[in-house]
């Protein structure tokens, strides 16, 4: 009897363990897929196209082009770094518009020495100012790729590569494997290379069409879950109808960087500030980020101020402040989500484009600076901010200043999701926002009265 009971108990415990394990796996996969999916840019990706343009005695010449189809995520300086693993024993004889970071062991070659003999080469873009005989179209930008919406003319990067020991026909060539894309913004992952229909090219006079010998595509997607970085921006709020200024949450961008750690943050009143921000270093040394000591410790703060209320319109002022002493943000952008963006009337001193990630839903706007005016967000200091105002037309069916409706639902800066204040701290209408307050005395007295009530009524 005891053995059967213990056996039953063992079976029940095993089933419970399996049930918990299944729930954990399901929840883990759910979290991963959710974090990897960007609802505001559902189709954003980086696509790399590898076009074999001609055959050589031992391989081929190809043009490799990366397209940044992400709406608001750049690859900023110091730019992209591309890697892969050859399928056979290929070597790179020469490159135009890019170069590998290492040559590798080419000792078995006599006479002509390949550009790179590594099994897993790492490629970087050439810098601006490269001699013309080493350039091709869309090269030599230092690896910087701007977003497709903000700057489509600089959203592609190309280089030419001559590959040897690779096969000389469509049937003998093998596509490389294990593509990686590294850069200042981690979290991008390439899928496998897929052979597709050869790319067709139309001549400038549009009278002739040629095509590549062979083409394969590789798609790279961004995942905030894989990036696993601390936040880089936060949001503060204020309004004309309430004196309360809701600041960024404390330690919004990580309190491990506090004042007790040497060099983690810098007080703006520090003597000889310039020498601390830019100390003497060896050429090529990259200094770590240095932010101003604040309560939130974020490099970027976005402030949303509900400024004025008119009969048919209302106005918002947006201020973006840079607290990073060692970084200027060129080609910055901000994405904001608010239901009244479907009735935007005028925007001052910023560029604007509706993202409309889904048909019939127009609540997301992308904002960025006007070229040569405020597209350059300077480092921390008197000039380290940009401002704009937005005029909205009221939709009487939905418009309200109550319950924080006038504040944004979400804000991104340069593709990073900014930390919002808790909803219960938003500025509220003095005559319409009732917030019940319970005193400590009442919270202690109430349980005592209940005990007495039940005791004497028993």
């Amino acid at each position: 009897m005891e053995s059967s009971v213990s056996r039953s108990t063992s079976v029940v415990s095993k089933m419970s363990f399996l049930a918990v394990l299944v729930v954990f796996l399901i929840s883990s996969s759910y979290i991963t897929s959710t974090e990897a999916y960007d609802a505001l840019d559902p189709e954003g990706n980086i696509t790399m196209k590898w076009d074999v343009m001609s055959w050589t005695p031992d391989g081929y010449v190809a043009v490799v082009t990366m397209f940044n189809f992400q709406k608001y995520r750049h690859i900023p300086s110091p730019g992209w770094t591309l890697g892969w693993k050859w399928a056979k024993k290929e070597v790179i004889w020469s490159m135009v518009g890019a170069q590998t970071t290492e040559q590798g062991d080419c000792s078995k070659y006599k006479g002509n020495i390949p550009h790179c003999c590594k099994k897993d080469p790492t490629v970087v873009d050439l810098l601006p100012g490269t001699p013309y005989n080493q350039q091709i179209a869309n090269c030599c930008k230092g690896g910087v790729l701007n977003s497709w919406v903000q700057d489509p003319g600089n959203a592609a990067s190309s280089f030419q590569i001559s590959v040897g020991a690779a096969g000389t026909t469509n049937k003998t060539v093998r596509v490389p494997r294990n593509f990686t894309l590294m850069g200042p913004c981690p979290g991008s992952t390439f899928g496998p290379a897929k052979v597709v229909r050869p790319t067709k090219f139309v001549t400038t006079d549009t009278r002739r069409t040629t095509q590549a010998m062979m083409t394969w595509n590789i798609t790279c997607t961004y995942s905030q879950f894989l990036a696993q970085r601390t936040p880089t921006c936060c949001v503060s709020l204020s309004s004309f109808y309430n004196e309360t200024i809701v600041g960024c949450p404390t330690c919004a961008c990580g309190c491990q960087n506090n004042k007790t750690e040497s060099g983690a943050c810098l007080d703006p009143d520090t003597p000889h500030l310039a020498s601390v921000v830019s100390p003497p270093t060896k050429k090529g040394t990259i200094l770590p980020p240095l932010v101003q000591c604040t309560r939130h410790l974020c490099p970027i703060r976005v402030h949303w101020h509900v400024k004025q209320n008119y009969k048919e319109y209302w106005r918002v002022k947006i201020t973006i402040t840079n607290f990073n002493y060692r970084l200027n943000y060129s080609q910055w952008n901000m994405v904001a989500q608010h239901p009244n963006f479907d009735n935007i009337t005028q925007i001052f001193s910023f560029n604007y484009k509706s993202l409309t990630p889904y048909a019939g839903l127009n609540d997301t706007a992308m904002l960025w600076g006007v070229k040569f005016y405020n597209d350059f967000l300077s480092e921390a200091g008197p000039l380290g901010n940009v401002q704009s105002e937005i005029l909205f037309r009221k939709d009487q069916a939905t418009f309200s200043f109550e319950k924080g409706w006038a504040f944004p639902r979400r804000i991104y800066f340069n593709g990073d999701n900014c930390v919002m204040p808790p909803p219960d701290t938003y500025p509220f209408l003095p005559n319409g926002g009732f917030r019940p307050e319970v005193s400590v005395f009442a919270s202690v007295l109430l349980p005592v009265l209940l005990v007495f009530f039940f005791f004497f009524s028993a």
Side-chain angles (χ1 to χ4, degrees):
M1 181 68 180
E2 292 181 358
S3 61
S4 62
V5 172
S6 61
R7 200 178 305 114
S8 300
T9 304
S10 175
V11 171
V12 170
S13 63
K14 289 180 178 179
M15 291 179 65
S16 301
F17 173 77
L18 288 173
V20 171
L21 181 61
V22 169
V23 170
F24 173 77
L25 291 174
I26 293 174
S27 62
S28 299
S29 63
Y30 174 78
I31 292 172
T32 303
S33 61
T34 301
E35 292 294 332
Y37 176 74
D38 188 350
L40 302 185
D41 191 12
E43 298 179 358
N45 65 74
I46 296 175
T47 298
M48 183 168 66
K49 185 175 64 170
W50 194 299
D51 291 314
V52 176
M53 305 302 293
S54 61
W55 302 112
T56 62
D58 69 336
Y60 60 86
V61 175
V63 173
V64 181
T65 305
M66 281 189 287
F67 300 94
N68 184 10
F69 291 124
Q70 298 177 111
K71 290 182 178 179
Y72 46 81
R73 286 193 174 93
H74 304 304
I75 298 181
S77 179
W80 54 262
T81 300
L82 179 65
W84 64 82
K85 188 174 183 180
W86 291 116
K88 299 190 291 185
K89 296 182 179 180
E90 293 91 336
V91 296
I92 301 174
W93 281 112
S94 63
M95 297 187 73
V96 180
Q99 63 183 0
T100 60
T101 57
E102 296 182 53
Q103 184 185 40
D105 183 8
C106 296
S107 57
K108 68 177 183 179
Y109 288 89
K110 311 295 183 182
N112 292 333
I113 306 298
H115 176 80
C116 179
C117 300
K118 286 180 66 68
K119 179 75 173 178
D120 52 349
T122 300
V123 175
V124 293
D125 193 13
L126 296 181
L127 298 174
T130 297
Y132 289 113
N133 62 350
Q134 300 176 29
Q135 295 187 27
I136 66 167
N138 286 324
C139 84
C140 313
K141 304 172 185 177
V144 173
L145 274 178
N146 290 332
S147 67
W148 191 258
V149 168
Q150 186 171 349
D151 190 8
N154 289 301
S157 183
S158 302
F159 61 88
Q160 180 179 294
I161 182 172
S162 177
V163 182
T168 56
T169 66
N170 291 15
K171 294 183 179 180
T172 56
V173 168
R174 295 291 178 266
V175 298
R177 305 189 301 261
N178 302 339
F179 283 90
T180 59
L181 181 65
M182 301 300 292
C185 301
S188 298
T189 304
F190 271 121
K194 296 181 180 180
V195 177
V196 296
R197 291 183 179 180
T199 304
K200 292 186 177 182
F201 307 94
V202 181
T203 57
T204 53
D205 60 5
T206 69
R207 301 179 66 184
R208 173 175 165 80
T209 300
T210 59
Q211 71 177 42
M213 306 296 170
M214 187 178 182
T215 298
W216 55 84
N217 284 353
I218 311 99
T219 302
C220 183
T221 56
Y222 175 83
S223 168
Q224 184 67 48
F225 179 81
L226 293 177
Q228 292 183 337
R229 294 177 298 164
T230 56
T232 59
C233 55
C234 64
V235 179
S236 57
L237 310 169
S238 62
S239 65
F240 70 89
Y241 54 77
N242 193 311
E243 294 181 354
T244 303
I245 298 177
V246 180
C248 287
T250 302
C251 301
C253 296
C255 261
Q256 67 275 13
N257 296 330
N258 53 39
K259 295 181 181 181
T260 61
E261 295 184 10
S262 176
C265 68
L266 188 62
D267 194 309
D269 296 327
T270 300
H272 312 293
L273 182 65
S275 62
V276 178
V277 172
S278 303
T281 56
K282 294 181 179 180
K283 187 177 181 181
T285 301
I286 300 177
L287 296 172
L290 184 62
V291 299
Q292 182 176 318
C293 291
T294 57
R295 191 166 61 95
H296 51 78
L297 286 172
C298 290
I300 293 292
R301 182 190 66 196
V302 178
H303 185 76
W304 181 287
H305 175 64
V306 181
K307 186 176 181 179
Q308 285 178 300
N309 183 30
Y310 309 104
K311 184 178 180 180
E312 296 182 0
Y313 302 91
W314 63 292
R315 184 185 293 259
V316 167
K317 181 177 181 179
I318 297 174
T319 304
I320 305 173
T321 305
N322 183 5
F323 292 97
N324 194 335
Y325 283 107
R326 288 178 176 159
L327 182 60
N328 297 312
Y329 293 87
S330 59
Q331 292 280 58
W332 61 267
N333 66 59
M334 188 192 92
V335 175
Q337 193 174 34
H338 190 279
N340 217 164
F341 274 121
D342 61 346
N343 278 324
I344 189 169
T345 301
Q346 189 173 4
I347 185 166
F348 305 88
S349 75
F350 280 0
N351 288 307
Y352 157 80
K353 183 174 178 60
S354 173
L355 293 186
T356 57
Y358 304 100
L361 183 64
N362 183 14
D363 66 346
T364 307
M366 179 173 166
L367 312 173
W368 67 96
V370 178
K371 195 169 186 179
F372 304 125
Y373 175 60
N374 58 1
D375 61 333
F376 187 84
L377 180 53
S378 183
E379 61 191 18
L383 302 177
N385 69 85
V386 290
Q387 302 178 7
S388 181
E389 294 189 5
I390 305 176
L391 189 65
F392 295 100
R393 177 183 290 274
K394 292 180 180 178
D395 182 352
Q396 299 300 334
T398 59
F399 175 80
S400 173
F401 282 134
E402 295 182 355
K403 300 179 181 179
W405 184 91
F407 298 107
R409 310 308 187 250
R410 193 183 329 189
I411 283 183
Y412 288 3
F413 181 82
N414 275 5
D416 288 342
N417 198 356
C418 299
V419 179
M420 299 287 296
D424 58 352
T425 64
Y426 285 20
F428 61 94
L429 286 170
N431 58 349
F434 173 70
R435 294 191 176 184
E437 296 183 1
V438 180
S439 66
V440 176
F441 176 75
S443 63
V444 173
L445 181 62
L446 183 60
V448 175
L449 290 175
L450 289 174
V451 170
F452 272 95
F453 173 78
F454 284 110
F455 179 77
F456 286 107
S457 63

